[in-house]
Amino acid sequence: MNIRQWPLDERPREKLATLGAAALSDAELLAIFLGSGCRGLTAVDLGRQLLNHNGGLRALLSREEPLPRLRGLGAAKRSRVLAALELARRCSGPELKRDATLRNPADSAEFLRSRLSSYPYEVFAVVFLDNRHRVLAFEELFRGTIDGTVVHPREVVRACLRHNAAAVILAHNHPSGVAEPSESDRAITAELRQALGLVGVRVLDHFVIGDSAPVSLAQRGLM
């Protein structure tokens, strides 16, 4: 059945106009961006299919690869959905602006949580700082699997030299949601401190990101 044949209070656009966006399901919200369906599938069906294919909205938001070529999901629809997802990511947490000064762990913890907590695989990232702890750049340097990632100290050193950094804050996520630092987390922190120390770059902290508050290795006395 075409959406135009649905009762008015069940159509996504009319429902949004009368009840507000919060009243719509994830599939109905996606249908608004998709605009239309295809033969045999409504826009809501397409939205539901897209969510099911990716494992839900959270997984869809963290998706880095192009959207799948599902039936009815042409180039124009994919572009609209990708634009909407990128807007959602950009608004999901605070920004870390260049030249912002990081004076304590709380200044950067929430930013790092918003950027890394939704990934279904491990991501290792670095905040590059000058000698007054002002932000030079933020980069996600390495990506791994659901239970680990390989960090190459040489590449971290190279990135520090590229940004002319005097200090860094390290961060990575635990897809399990448990932010407890592991032995390998402590080991790579020590290895990076040693490698970066050779080029005059200080490691100020290493955050582990999970579902709750980020854990600071510096605050735990683990570095």
Side-chain angles (χ1 to χ4, degrees), residues 124-178:
F124 185 91
V126 180
V127 181
F128 301 92
L129 308 168
D130 67 12
N131 56 8
R132 295 175 62 183
H133 297 177
R134 294 178 301 188
V135 175
L136 298 171
F138 168 80
E139 282 192 43
E140 297 175 3
L141 291 181
F142 308 105
R143 295 180 179 180
T145 64
I146 193 170
D147 58 1
T149 188
V150 177
V151 176
H152 301 282
R154 180 177 62 181
E155 296 303 317
V156 180
V157 171
R158 182 179 300 173
C160 286
L161 295 177
R162 185 171 70 251
H163 291 294
N164 195 27
V168 294
I169 294 173
L170 312 173
H172 77 282
N173 65 313
H174 282 178
S176 66
V178 179

Side-chain angles (χ1 to χ4, degrees), residues 79-91:
S79 295
R80 287 196 293 269
V81 172
L82 286 172
L85 293 174
E86 181 58 26
L87 283 172
R89 279 191 288 264
R90 293 184 185 187
C91 293

Side-chain angles (χ1 to χ4, degrees), residues 11-217:
R11 302 177 193 177
R13 289 178 183 172
E14 286 76 3
K15 192 174 176 181
L16 185 147
T18 57
L19 300 177
L24 275 67
S25 67
D26 294 344
E28 289 171 330
L29 288 170
L30 280 172
I32 298 290
F33 290 102
L34 291 168
S36 63
C38 63
R39 184 181 296 274
L41 291 173
T42 67
V44 176
D45 292 329
L46 278 180
R48 192 175 294 116
Q49 188 172 295
L50 192 56
L51 290 168
N52 291 338
H53 187 88
N54 287 277
L57 184 60
R58 181 173 178 177
L60 185 59
L61 276 169
S62 63
R63 184 184 178 94
E64 293 294 318
E65 299 80 12
L67 291 176
R69 293 185 176 276
L70 302 175
R71 185 169 74 88
L73 193 65
K77 288 186 174 72
R78 286 200 303 273
S79 295
R80 287 196 293 269
V81 172
L82 286 172
L85 293 174
E86 181 58 26
L87 283 172
R89 279 191 288 264
R90 293 184 185 187
C91 293
S92 64
E95 293 184 15
L96 196 61
K97 297 180 180 179
R98 183 179 173 87
D99 294 331
T101 302
L102 301 181
R103 302 185 184 280
N104 57 64
D107 289 340
S108 50
E110 182 56 26
F111 165 79
L112 293 167
R113 187 199 65 78
S114 69
R115 289 298 296 264
L116 301 178
S117 64
S118 65
Y119 284 120
Y121 46 82
E122 277 204 13
V123 176
F124 185 91
V126 180
V127 181
F128 301 92
L129 308 168
D130 67 12
N131 56 8
R132 295 175 62 183
H133 297 177
R134 294 178 301 188
V135 175
L136 298 171
F138 168 80
E139 282 192 43
E140 297 175 3
L141 291 181
F142 308 105
R143 295 180 179 180
T145 64
I146 193 170
D147 58 1
T149 188
V150 177
V151 176
H152 301 282
R154 180 177 62 181
E155 296 303 317
V156 180
V157 171
R158 182 179 300 173
C160 286
L161 295 177
R162 185 171 70 251
H163 291 294
N164 195 27
V168 294
I169 294 173
L170 312 173
H172 77 282
N173 65 313
H174 282 178
S176 66
V178 179
E180 194 63 29
S182 65
E183 286 297 328
S184 61
D185 295 339
R186 301 180 197 181
I188 193 59
T189 303
E191 189 175 350
L192 287 171
R193 287 186 72 188
Q194 182 177 17
L196 293 173
L198 296 175
V199 292
V201 177
R202 290 172 293 125
V203 177
L204 302 181
D205 208 338
H206 186 169
F207 286 95
V208 181
I209 311 298
D211 288 338
S212 55
V215 172
S216 160
L217 269 70

